[in-house]
Amino acid sequence: MSQTQGSTESGSTMESILDEHRHFKPSKAFSSNAHIKSMAEYEKMHKRSVDDPEGFWADVASELHWFKKWEEVLDWRLPDAKWFVGGTTNICYNCIDRQIDAGLGNHTAIVWEGEPIVDEDGHHAGGEPEVRKLSYYDLRREVSRFANALKGLGVQKGDVVTIYMPMVPELAIAMLACARIGAVHSIIFGGFSASAIRDRVEDGKSKIVITADGGWRRGKVVPLKDNVDEALTLTDLVDTVVVLERCQNDIHMVDGRDHWWSDLTATASEHCPAEEMYSEDLLFILYTSGSTGKPKGIMHTTGGYMVYTYLTSRYTFDLHPRQLCDEELNEQCRGDMYWCTADIGWITGHSYIIYGLLPNRVPTLMYEGAPDFPEKDRFWDIIERHKVTKFYTAPTAIRAFMKWGREWIDKHDISSLKVLGTVGEPINPEAWMWYHKVIGNEKCPIVDTWWQTETGGHMLTPLPGATTTTPGSCTKPFFGIDAAVVNSEGEEVGENEGGILVIRKPWPSMLRGIYGNRERFIETYWSKIEGFYTAGDGARKDENGNFWIMGRIDDVIVVAGHNLGTMEVESALVSHDAVAEAAVVGFPHEIKGTGIAAFATLVGGIEETDKLKAEIRDHVAKELGPISKPDKLRFTPALPKTRSGKIMRRLLRDIAAGREITGDVTTLEDKGIVEKLQKQTD
Ligand code: WTA
């Protein structure tokens, strides 16, 4: 039985597939079992949540564990929000102990799969991958041990702990251990380079780094420890490094500074009480790119973040935990198996692999490696073997799967899937339709979730049992979210008119600041339009009240779902000895959505060669990590500038996209440059 009405018949033309006015309604069968069953129910709850946010959020918060109840739900003094003021809780307790207290200690909390496919001798060939399942009991034991190890190393409440690890259970254990003892974690994505580690360590004044010898990616070892060693030659702030043994690759241990994870935890007690934290105590810092060179340390606190990620996880993915019944074979009893393919190093991993998921009592799956290792069907193989029901990934990945072809999917039974999610960048309607038909078999609602590192959780998203979806739209605001599209005066623009996306009321998981930089916090988010949070994205709202994200309106580009500041890449380019000046813009890219196009002028006398081009691109990858490597690089004797010296990015964007140059070029200083640039190949 098809669960989606109005799905496309085979043989329909591309135009009809891409018809913006196509609407997909969840089936009655799906809706009747969902938490939120209809648009009427959504609207009623949404109205209450914005009319009476304090009552709404107090009800949600009451479902979780608090040592001491709050005195006030919200204290809002623009731009500062305090939620659940005076209340004390611990998010690690809510992720783990609360389930044990409810008698669910033996239920699965985390399912992890390593990348290598190993045979009996541990060689990479055929065979079964390594799988580890941790119950809430297991997780509490491991987290407590590591928490005690951290205490033994002198880590105290409020200290910033840097974590730079592969996607292994110990990454989750390390972050939860920090939360358990009230230390603030700052997780750095394992794809970042030494200088990114140095910058973040210094910004957070962090004295301890948790890492691993390496992690597996596409059959190779990512040398995490070597990167940390290199970073620590650039700063002397760090006096302690903890090293997990994952790949058994050759690494160098520094006496007195470096400790093995296994040594520390072998002797540590498995009992560690969860620290009583104030709701507004800092939980973590996570760095994100901005429109200036320096990444911003986004601050999230405990109570509001916990409550918001808990509720969004439940409703956006329509999560259902395993029931306390013996009928393991009964689908209803078995409950969900949830898999988000993001790395924990990004906000998606923080909120929707760990913090929002575990309190919902649904197992969360973690996978260490690449989607095309050993073959291009790895994800579908994982879904089949673990019977994944809820799947959350990025449009970039979906476009890659489309390109690889459906034969990889057809090899597997992925009929366990029920809800499909996307995040990180706009999803083009072709990719949406492919996801809907080939992965979802036209029966799984798709949730296109718009949100940001700064927002902590989903802001605009369909709810699977209620929302009628349209390919390319992230539809409606979540509960408690008052979103609008406005002009520069803060007035709402008309239907289908483009404008600035703003949030007009505080929500529980909003960022509390930029670490160590109050001015930048106010300047970036609160000064564009008085009284509103500006997200940096442009959007429009259609005649059905659905939102459509139109892309960034600042100098941030979203490449393969990762937020990059063009300034950061420009700084990395000019740090190469041969480069005098550089400009970076985004261009449409088949797989990544947006690619990076760089333009550089060379230092006088240096010859423009292909070899140098490759060297400069590699240099950026080394400085910032592989995701920041420019896809295109063109040399130019000068950058196109206005007479007042501003780089004309609009022009560069046209050139990079191979488009005709549109708009006014009369303010350009030297028109000859543009012609030269257009003639070049990459
Ligand atoms: C973009 C990722 C369109 C957007 C959770 C936002 C999206 C930035 C979507 C935040 C979506 C994220 N549709 N664009 N569903 N989701 N974006 O901080 O430009 O890594 O501002 O958070 O990604 O990226 P960040």
Side-chain angles (χ1 to χ4, degrees):
M1 186 185 64
S2 164
Q3 292 206 354
T4 310
Q5 294 165 15
S7 42
T8 42
E9 304 79 39
S10 53
S12 56
T13 62
M14 207 57 188
E15 289 86 84
S16 71
I17 289 174
L18 300 184
D19 179 358
E20 267 189 14
H21 301 288
R22 280 205 94 83
H23 304 302
F24 295 90
K25 259 191 153 165
S27 71
K28 288 209 175 82
F30 189 98
S31 296
S32 64
N33 290 322
H35 289 296
I36 310 292
K37 301 179 192 330
S38 66
M39 263 337 249
E41 192 179 346
Y42 159 80
E43 275 155 16
K44 192 168 152 227
M45 273 177 75
H46 188 264
K47 183 167 186 324
R48 182 193 170 211
S49 71
V50 289
D51 289 350
D52 173 25
E54 306 197 10
F56 180 88
W57 290 113
D59 285 351
V60 180
S62 302
E63 294 175 19
L64 294 167
H65 173 271
W66 296 79
F67 294 107
K68 186 165 146 261
K69 203 181 157 178
W70 53 90
E71 285 142 23
E72 197 184 356
V73 177
L74 171 64
D75 172 3
W76 174 227
R77 290 165 217 208
L78 193 125
D80 300 304
K82 292 190 179 136
W83 284 88
F84 310 110
V85 185
T88 60
T89 185
N90 185 292
I91 197 169
C92 176
Y93 191 97
N94 277 289
C95 284
I96 307 174
D97 305 56
R98 185 173 151 264
Q99 281 53 268
I100 296 175
D101 298 345
L104 310 175
N106 285 318
H107 285 203
T108 306
I110 294 179
V111 176
W112 171 81
E113 180 161 318
E115 188 192 73
I117 303 273
V118 292
D119 63 18
E120 278 156 18
D121 306 321
H123 296 124
H124 296 200
E128 286 288 309
E130 187 186 352
V131 171
R132 278 168 67 189
K133 292 188 178 170
L134 285 89
S135 67
Y136 295 101
Y137 278 132
D138 297 333
L139 193 56
R140 181 164 72 181
R141 192 176 57 244
E142 297 305 319
V143 166
S144 297
R145 278 209 180 116
F146 194 65
N148 283 322
L150 286 176
K151 282 187 187 170
L153 292 167
V155 175
Q156 293 181 356
K157 197 167 168 169
D159 288 353
V160 176
V161 175
T162 301
I163 301 179
Y164 179 69
M165 291 181 80
M167 278 289 283
V168 291
E170 285 77 6
L171 167 53
I173 290 165
M175 70 196 283
L176 287 162
C178 289
R180 196 165 186 87
I181 62 173
V184 175
H185 57 70
S186 164
I187 304 183
I188 305 175
F189 169 55
F192 280 135
S193 63
S195 61
I197 303 172
R198 187 262 324 263
D199 292 348
R200 285 156 177 75
V201 156
E202 290 199 329
D203 190 79
K205 297 182 194 60
S206 173
K207 295 203 183 110
I208 173 165
V209 178
I210 323 254
T211 189
D213 48 7
W216 291 107
R217 178 109 193 146
R218 217 159 270 131
K220 297 210 179 75
V221 173
V222 181
L224 299 171
K225 174 64 164 63
D226 293 351
N227 293 346
V228 170
D229 287 343
E230 192 186 332
L232 299 192
T233 61
L234 308 168
T235 175
D236 25 290
L237 212 61
V238 172
D239 53 29
T240 309
V241 177
V242 179
V243 186
L244 175 80
E245 36 289 75
R246 165 70 189 131
C247 300
Q248 274 75 40
N249 49 316
D250 239 353
I251 56 161
H252 175 64
M253 293 292 277
V254 175
D255 253 359
R257 186 193 76 180
D258 298 356
H259 309 262
W260 290 111
W261 176 294
S262 57
D263 288 347
L264 295 174
T265 49
T267 51
S269 157
E270 55 184 64
H271 300 286
C272 176
E275 196 73 29
E276 195 169 332
M277 303 300 290
Y278 276 106
S279 181
E280 282 302 330
D281 280 342
L282 193 55
L283 175 64
F284 65 83
I285 310 171
L286 182 61
Y287 287 84
T288 185
S289 300
S291 50
T292 70
K294 197 169 173 262
K296 304 173 286 196
I298 303 301
M299 301 201 290
H300 282 290
T301 55
T302 306
Y305 175 82
M306 172 174 86
V307 171
Y308 195 79
T309 54
Y310 163 70
L311 197 74
T312 44
S313 298
R314 187 212 290 166
Y315 287 155
T316 303
F317 303 114
D318 193 43
L319 295 181
H320 296 272
R322 189 180 134 190
Q323 302 291 308
L324 280 177
C325 50
D326 299 327
E327 292 179 58
E328 274 299 282
L329 293 176
N330 176 327
E331 209 185 313
Q332 219 62 335
C333 290
R334 201 164 52 223
D336 277 316
M337 172 63 71
Y338 168 91
W339 182 24
C340 164
T341 68
D343 192 287
I344 287 181
W346 307 106
I347 191 68
T348 304
H350 281 59
S351 300
Y352 298 113
I353 296 179
I354 302 297
Y355 287 130
L357 257 289
L358 291 175
N360 274 290
R361 303 178 168 165
V362 164
T364 179
L365 195 145
M366 285 174 71
Y367 167 57
E368 177 181 32
D372 54 354
F373 189 86
E375 294 288 355
K376 295 188 169 68
D377 62 345
R378 184 61 185 265
F379 275 16
W380 323 119
D381 187 33
I382 291 176
I383 290 174
E384 179 174 16
R385 276 186 289 105
H386 297 284
K387 298 198 173 54
V388 172
T389 57
K390 309 290 162 75
F391 179 64
Y392 194 28
T393 195
T396 297
I398 297 168
R399 287 188 290 266
F401 303 145
M402 279 172 80
K403 201 169 172 191
W404 296 343
R406 75 171 293 160
E407 62 267 29
W408 296 105
I409 294 114
D410 290 342
K411 287 179 176 202
H412 298 277
D413 174 6
I414 56 169
S415 60
S416 55
L417 289 171
K418 288 188 179 144
V419 174
L420 305 175
T422 82
V423 58
E425 55 189 310
I427 178 162
N428 47 313
E430 293 90 336
W432 196 103
M433 285 307 303
W434 187 90
Y435 201 28
H436 170 69
K437 294 184 112 187
V438 179
I439 306 302
N441 195 20
E442 305 193 9
K443 73 178 171 63
C444 302
I446 292 182
V447 289
D448 173 358
T449 60
W450 176 85
W451 59 296
Q452 308 177 295
T453 305
E454 293 87 340
T455 69
H458 301 150
M459 302 298 277
L460 300 171
T461 179
L463 300 180
T467 313
T468 300
T469 53
T470 302
S473 167
C474 52
T475 72
K476 308 258 180 219
F478 191 77
F479 301 124
I481 303 306
D482 178 20
V485 180
V486 302
N487 62 20
S488 53
E489 306 302 311
E491 297 149 354
E492 270 196 85
V493 299
E495 223 168 75
N496 283 315
E497 230 179 275
I500 303 164
L501 179 58
V502 296
I503 312 295
R504 299 184 292 199
K505 289 205 173 109
W507 67 100
S509 64
M510 62 197 285
L511 78 164
R512 300 300 197 265
I514 294 177
Y515 196 72
N517 204 335
R518 175 85 184 162
E519 271 157 44
R520 195 173 175 201
F521 168 61
I522 293 169
E523 155 70 29
T524 311
Y525 305 106
W526 301 99
S527 29
K528 308 258 170 5
I529 295 162
E530 214 188 314
F532 299 161
Y533 169 84
T534 44
D537 283 330
R540 69 180 167 88
K541 207 163 128 180
D542 70 16
E543 57 285 0
N544 299 311
N546 286 327
F547 286 80
W548 297 74
I549 303 297
M550 296 166 68
R552 301 289 309 178
I553 51 180
D554 54 17
D555 288 332
V556 172
I557 48 179
V558 180
V559 177
H562 301 135
N563 207 332
L564 304 175
T566 50
M567 278 276 293
E568 269 174 278
V569 184
E570 286 166 6
S571 313
L573 283 162
V574 295
S575 73
H576 188 283
D577 288 342
V579 178
E581 202 181 12
V584 165
V585 294
F587 70 95
H589 187 285
E590 197 193 347
I591 303 285
K592 301 188 202 177
T594 301
I596 306 175
F599 298 85
T601 62
L602 295 180
V603 171
I606 293 188
E607 206 192 328
E608 299 177 357
T609 63
D610 285 345
K611 189 165 162 267
L612 181 61
K613 257 189 197 174
E615 191 189 302
I616 294 172
R617 290 172 63 230
D618 287 343
H619 172 79
V620 176
K622 185 160 187 312
E623 283 293 299
L624 297 175
I627 49 170
S628 302
K629 182 170 171 171
D631 299 281
K632 300 180 175 185
L633 171 61
R634 291 185 193 192
F635 293 134
T636 167
L639 291 168
K641 286 185 186 165
T642 62
R643 282 182 208 111
S644 61
K646 268 194 124 182
I647 295 174
M648 292 188 77
R649 287 171 196 282
R650 172 171 58 78
L651 260 180
L652 293 178
R653 276 193 283 268
D654 285 343
I655 293 170
R659 281 191 297 258
E660 221 173 295
I661 301 213
T662 52
D664 186 15
V665 287
T666 50
T667 52
L668 194 63
E669 200 180 44
D670 176 358
K671 296 195 182 58
I673 291 170
V674 174
E675 275 163 37
K676 273 181 229 149
L677 272 173
Q678 276 177 313
K679 280 197 203 114
Q680 269 193 51
T681 50
D682 302 294

